[in-house]
Amino acid sequence: MKVASTPQPRARVLSMPEYHPPLGNRDTLRLDFNENTVACSPAVERAIRNMTAAELTRYPEREPVEALAAQQLDLAPEQVILTNGVDEAIHVLCQAFLDTGDELLLPVPTYTMYAIYASATDATLCTVQADSTLAFPFEALKAAITPRTKLIAIANPNSPTGSIATREQLITLAEAAPHAILLVDEAYFHFYGETVIDLIGKLPNLIVARTFSKAYGLAALRLGLLAGPVHLLRWTRRVLSPYSVNSVALTALTAALQDSAYIDWYVRQIKQARTEFLAALDTMGLQYWPTEANFVLVNIGTLHREFVSAMRDKAILVRDRSADPGCDGLVRITIGTPEQMHSAITTIQTFVRTYKLAGVVR
Ligand code: PMP
């Protein structure tokens, strides 16, 4: 019998692309990952420093912290699951719900990991392209719902566009697809302020995700949250590793949840910087898309590679999104503090002057 010389993965895994985030360059102003550009709350740092060696010897217990997070969201503890970042939340939802013949429905462009995790399942990916306004393609998405739709994932605000779906649109979609889960990914909630988390349990197929990687500044600890009705979360818990959120992260989150003043301060900074930065883009004559998040998508046109590299030369990292569907020439810039954005503006102004870019890409 002829045997393959090396074990082969499942066919779907064989055809999956590898995802390599462009990391590195730690000593730069990182406006390429939509992270908090300052730091987490000092209370978090203190809490981590005060951890004992004994605490590190025990397996983590996420339940008490889940209860605290649930309480802050006016939810019951059983309606909340903490995860190893929203990425794990997406992964476990795909694992628990996407079967052969099922469809994952996505408006695009959107966050990459929905398609990646779904591609490891036997489900089919169905995408609905936004038009050139990059606004949420509500009507087209509603029309794309089929009896096989099992999961609809909507980042709200969306990345990389910064666009939003209204509460009414989300309710309509949830009601139009009662046989599917509507996942509303509120990773950028704090910079927007609107949520549908209050509808958990009222809309039986609504699940909301939140991350602690953005406003909270805890991306390195990998902390996310799923809020949903008990009858759906119970299946998700079956495929979730019981210890995927570690004790350092749980300690940090407990402190972070108790320091809401820090989040309020950070979000105020970012909103002020966002207003100022968009005004500066207007003055420079650069086209951008309306945003409710801590980033903005800017049209640099054919010079997008030169732009990213000119910013990098000044130690500022921004993200070229040209490869995203409908995003040719578009670069996503994270909004940091007003001071950080002033230095970004100076660099962008030099680029615009050097290449006589103003108005050219409209
Ligand atoms: N959802 C969206 C829309 C995102 O942009 C990101 C991060 N880039 C995530 C989820 C991932 O969040 P986490 O760090 O919690 O895995």
Side-chain angles (χ1 to χ4, degrees), residues 33 85-87 111 114 155 159 185 187-188 211 213-214 222-224:
F33 269 86
V86 168
D87 282 354
Y111 182 49
Y114 309 126
S159 176
D185 179 348
Y188 300 100
T211 183
S213 300
K214 310 295 176 187
R222 313 304 301 124
L223 274 163

Side-chain angles (χ1 to χ4, degrees), residues 26-45:
R26 291 269 148 195
D27 294 329
T28 47
L29 175 56
R30 289 162 55 93
L31 303 183
D32 56 343
F33 269 86
N34 304 337
E35 296 154 322
N36 177 313
T37 56
V38 180
C40 62
S41 149
V44 169
E45 226 182 311

Side-chain angles (χ1 to χ4, degrees), residues 19 32-35 83-90 110-114 117 154-160 185-188 209-214 218-220 222-225 295 319 321 332:
Y19 179 65
D32 56 343
F33 269 86
N34 304 337
E35 296 154 322
T83 56
N84 190 274
V86 168
D87 282 354
E88 188 194 30
I90 300 165
T110 192
Y111 182 49
T112 321
M113 298 312 284
Y114 309 126
Y117 287 128
I154 298 171
N156 200 39
N158 188 31
S159 176
D185 179 348
E186 297 186 348
Y188 300 100
R210 291 274 181 93
T211 183
F212 298 93
S213 300
K214 310 295 176 187
L218 297 173
R222 313 304 301 124
L223 274 163
L225 176 153
F295 56 83
R319 185 76 85 88
R321 303 277 9 167
R332 194 189 66 194

